[in-house]
Amino acid sequence: MTLSLHSDEQYIREALKQARYAFEEDEIPIGAVVVLDKRIIARAYNQTEKLQDVTAHAEMLALTAAANYVGNKYLQECTLYVTVEPCVMCAGATAWAQVRRVVYGAAEPKFGYRRHGQLLHPRAEVVSGVLADECEALMREFFARKRK
């Protein structure tokens, strides 16, 4: 099912819904959506524990679903929305998929791709900090609960 929205903030809110599913399943609460022509064509959340797969990050699952939707490995007209800055693996996947835009909420100082230089496609536009406080709060709550 596709959903028509029109702003980065609205799409990050949809990614946050996915992140909350991860939270409920005791997965690191990161969610992602892929948008094409103002329509969400893929949604995903972290499932590394559920699938016992270290590559089952929200972004990876969303990119795979989007590629299946469009019938092409290249997502040149798509935007990836994700609640937390992509890791190196996910940034590399967006580069290989030639994703046009990457929009994320919270920065990830420990594992985010920016620590390692420019890993996205050279023509990719990056927007950061969209609903960062909400995205960070969900991550803080998750890890505080883990420490108890």
Side-chain angles (χ1 to χ4, degrees):
M1 180 179 145
T2 60
L3 177 64
S4 180
L5 299 170
H6 302 290
S7 77
D8 289 344
E9 189 173 296
Q10 289 174 301
Y11 293 121
I12 288 290
R13 286 197 191 288
E14 291 297 316
L16 271 164
K17 287 180 186 176
Q18 296 298 306
R20 288 183 190 101
Y21 293 140
F23 185 93
E24 292 167 11
E25 294 181 14
D26 204 30
E27 297 274 0
I28 294 175
I30 298 174
V33 298
V34 178
V35 173
L36 174 65
D37 297 329
K38 298 182 181 178
R39 293 200 172 278
I40 295 174
I41 62 168
R43 305 167 190 273
Y45 57 91
N46 275 4
Q47 296 183 46
T48 60
E49 299 300 326
K50 178 180 183 178
L51 300 176
Q52 292 297 293
D53 179 354
V54 296
T55 69
H57 290 196
E59 302 96 319
M60 301 296 283
L61 298 172
L63 292 173
T64 298
N68 288 333
Y69 180 88
V70 299
N72 192 332
K73 65 183 177 180
Y74 297 116
L75 303 172
Q76 297 164 322
E77 301 303 317
C78 294
T79 300
L80 171 67
Y81 291 88
V82 61
T83 56
V84 176
E85 175 186 344
C87 70
V88 171
M89 173 184 68
C90 295
T94 66
W96 284 110
Q98 299 179 15
V99 172
R100 180 177 63 88
R101 286 181 80 228
V102 176
V103 179
Y104 64 88
E108 203 340 318
K110 290 183 183 176
F111 298 106
Y113 80 91
R114 291 179 306 150
R115 289 190 63 198
H116 305 282
Q118 172 55 18
L119 298 175
L120 302 176
H121 193 276
R123 291 186 297 270
E125 174 190 347
V126 178
V127 177
S128 62
V130 179
L131 298 177
D133 291 343
E134 289 180 48
C135 296
E136 289 170 9
L138 187 59
M139 293 287 282
R140 275 194 307 274
E141 182 181 350
F142 177 79
F143 286 108
R145 188 176 74 178
K146 284 294 196 188
R147 285 187 211 88
K148 287 184 179 181

